[in-house]
Amino acid sequence: MKLLRKYIRSLLSEDMAARQAFAQELRDDPEWDPQFRAERSSDPEKEKETYKQTFKVGRKLKTLFAKHADRAFLNSLVTVHWGDSNRILDIFLNTSSRDELSTSVYLPGGVGPSMWGRGTGLVVKGHITILSNHMNDLMTGKGEVVKAADPERAKMSGANKGVGRGHDPDTYEMGTSLLVFDEEDWSPELAGGTHTNNEALVDNWKPVGIIAPAEKIDMFKWAAKKLNLDIPVVTMEEAEKLL
């Protein structure tokens, strides 16, 4: 029993080490604003400026996240970008893999409905730049607005999303982890108790599967064939068993 308690304490210590180091680096950063909240606006020019602020915050958090996250664990996860069929088809056919995608995240074998419902999903594999247990702790915004905010940047290096909400370093460290650095931090928000409400941003991605309603399966099989991609196109029920 003593050995078991010692082992459990060592696991908790390792888990907290990443959070503590991440939080301390934010405390040491004189420019970090824990009160930052992106102010959305109906004015296109103001909205562009807001998104440029989120780029700066997002770049800082992503850099620290990359430094402290367990990459092997992140690489094991299943990431799905959900939307209606027309939007997913457009992303599948026309979006650059350098444009960061917002995705719902699942453990292998755990794919299910997200807060976006049981619609159409593009299953992607790529580099997770940041992962939160609750999407509202990131507030990454819409991809099309990201491109409009800095079109030259998007054209040259892809549309990388920002983060629209900052937190006190203590909040990143204590309690249920806002960010998921490793398996011990995994505690995704479930909207209504059933629908995944977490979020990861995925960069340099490639499509590895499509989840679609039964009546849309043939359309997406055609799209995959058009791009010479040998990837599964499955219904949600099939995905829950296969992914």
Side-chain angles (χ1 to χ4, degrees), residues 140 224 240:
T140 59
E240 289 172 345

Side-chain angles (χ1 to χ4, degrees), residues 220-231:
F220 280 102
K221 284 185 175 179
W222 166 84
K225 185 176 181 180
K226 180 179 176 66
L227 295 176
N228 295 314
L229 291 174
D230 183 18
I231 60 175

Side-chain angles (χ1 to χ4, degrees), residues 158-221:
N160 297 116
K161 288 190 169 188
V163 173
R165 188 175 184 184
H167 299 274
D168 187 279
D170 288 350
T171 309
Y172 286 108
E173 180 179 342
M174 306 305 293
T176 300
S177 188
L178 271 63
L179 300 181
V180 182
F181 296 98
D182 52 34
E183 188 171 5
E184 284 70 33
D185 292 330
W186 178 262
S187 183
E189 166 76 9
L190 295 177
T194 57
H195 289 51
T196 300
N197 198 27
N198 61 6
E199 181 178 7
L201 295 181
V202 183
D203 199 8
N204 295 318
W205 53 269
K206 64 178 181 179
V208 295
I210 296 173
I211 302 169
E215 67 273 15
K216 302 288 186 179
I217 292 290
D218 287 343
M219 177 180 73
F220 280 102
K221 284 185 175 179

